[in-house]
Amino acid sequence: MNSNSRLPIGLFDSGMGGLTVLKALAQRLPGEDLLYLGDTARLPYGTKGRDTIIRYTLKAAQKLVDMGVKMLVVACNTATAAALPVLREHFAPLPVLGVVEPGAQAAAAASRNGRIVVLATEATINGGAYQQAIAHIRPEATVLVRACNLFVPLAEEGWMNGPIVEGIARRYLEGFFDAPEGENQGTDATLPDTMLLGCTHYPLLQGALREVVGPEVNIVDSAATTAEFVAEELARLHLLHPEDQLADNATKKDRHGKSLFLTTDHVARFIRTGSLFLGRDMADGEVTLVDL
């Protein structure tokens, strides 16, 4: 057994969005301890320049590494797109995983007609990370993209549905899923059949997005796929927590790893909004204010 297997997995994001990845990871690997950093003082990353994003990302990652982790998960699409190679080089041999490749694989597999819409932040879209990743996996695919910068503050505010959120979503999606008059979306093969949520904040708005695109469109987020990638990589490196190596799934469910949370600004707000992302009430003692 690797001596580092009992160390926590470190995850970070610019804010709360990466909690969707943490939640999926806790469900997939209930024995693992998780350490999460939300850099809320610098939120959002998605409107910043690449050099700034890399600088912020290195500081966030360094904080987790200094606390002792066995793997870094960049639970932020913007940071993954801008800084993943830099992080891997800087922290080698520590394994560093991002969310873009898992999301791209899930979208490519879900699409029947190869027409995929990617919604993400401005920085992720401009960097071309998803376009390149999907093209590598499925070269014949047509990838349509749109930056949806208002989705992050909506999610951070806890505005997940309702006419205002749906109205903003409808404006962003205008032209993508509009079938010709007399036809419905599900019968027009020229329209996208899959929408990839290329920001970890966006799954919170999935209900509103579903109202806009209808039932025929596959909506894909990278959280569950990223959790599976993490599990496979930990197993390959012999870093799975001993409790997650148990063959008996019933026994695994009886063991719950600990989750600790760090934020760079406003603990009370993190607790309030983080509870929405996790689907449970967070306690004061779970969240610590840190300075990068």
Side-chain angles (χ1 to χ4, degrees):
M1 181 189 304
N2 192 311
S3 60
N4 290 329
S5 63
R6 293 183 181 274
L7 290 174
I9 301 168
L11 305 91
F12 69 90
D13 184 20
S14 60
M16 311 293 185
L19 292 175
T20 58
V21 179
L22 180 140
K23 184 178 180 180
L25 195 52
Q27 292 171 344
R28 176 63 180 84
L29 296 171
E32 297 290 346
D33 292 331
L34 306 174
L35 179 62
Y36 181 89
L37 171 59
D39 188 15
T40 49
R42 296 169 180 81
L43 176 79
Y45 283 6
T47 56
K48 307 292 193 300
R50 182 175 181 273
D51 289 346
T52 300
I53 295 167
I54 291 174
R55 186 169 70 253
Y56 289 174
T57 298
L58 283 168
K59 287 184 178 179
Q62 187 67 60
K63 184 68 175 181
L64 294 173
V65 171
D66 289 346
M67 295 180 70
V69 295
K70 62 183 175 183
M71 173 182 283
L72 276 175
V73 179
V74 188
C76 170
N77 288 268
T78 298
T80 298
L84 188 62
V86 176
L87 289 169
R88 285 177 169 165
E89 180 179 359
H90 188 83
F91 294 107
L94 185 73
V96 183
L97 274 65
V99 290
V100 169
E101 183 181 352
Q105 289 202 11
S111 179
R112 299 178 299 276
N113 66 8
R115 296 183 66 83
I116 300 166
V117 168
V118 177
L119 308 182
T121 66
E122 184 180 347
T124 301
I125 294 297
N126 290 345
Y130 272 110
Q131 299 93 308
Q132 295 166 21
I134 294 172
H136 179 73
I137 298 164
R138 193 168 173 177
E140 82 285 1
T142 298
V143 181
L144 308 170
V145 298
R146 184 151 295 162
C148 304
N149 290 332
L150 288 178
F151 283 175
V152 170
L154 285 172
E156 291 278 332
E157 192 64 28
W159 289 22
M160 298 176 285
N161 45 48
I164 293 176
V165 181
E166 289 178 22
I168 293 171
R170 200 173 300 278
R171 180 66 178 270
Y172 276 137
L173 295 174
E174 191 173 10
F176 282 148
F177 300 99
D178 301 330
E181 190 173 350
E183 298 184 31
N184 63 55
Q185 200 281 333
T187 61
D188 190 340
T190 67
L191 294 177
D193 70 352
T194 298
M195 182 169 68
L196 171 58
L197 307 183
C199 173
T200 51
H201 283 79
Y202 295 1
L204 233 64
L205 311 179
Q206 191 165 161
L209 290 166
R210 174 62 71 195
E211 287 294 321
V212 174
V213 302
E216 301 294 335
V217 176
N218 300 310
I219 299 179
V220 175
D221 79 79
S222 58
T225 314
T226 299
E228 193 59 42
F229 267 55
V230 169
E232 291 173 0
E233 186 68 1
L234 288 175
R236 186 184 72 81
L237 296 171
H238 306 289
L239 284 172
L240 278 173
H241 191 284
E243 296 290 345
D244 276 318
Q245 297 177 33
L246 296 173
D248 184 354
N249 286 331
T251 304
K252 283 174 66 175
K253 291 178 181 178
D254 291 336
R255 199 274 177 184
H256 298 286
K258 297 178 182 177
S259 294
L260 297 176
F261 305 90
L262 311 174
T263 182
T264 53
D265 185 49
H266 212 312
V267 170
R269 183 180 179 85
F270 189 101
I271 291 171
R272 183 175 68 250
T273 307
S275 297
L276 296 174
F277 277 84
L278 294 175
R280 66 170 179 82
D281 290 335
M282 298 182 71
D284 291 349
E286 290 182 271
V287 183
T288 301
L289 181 67
V290 296
D291 184 25
L292 300 184

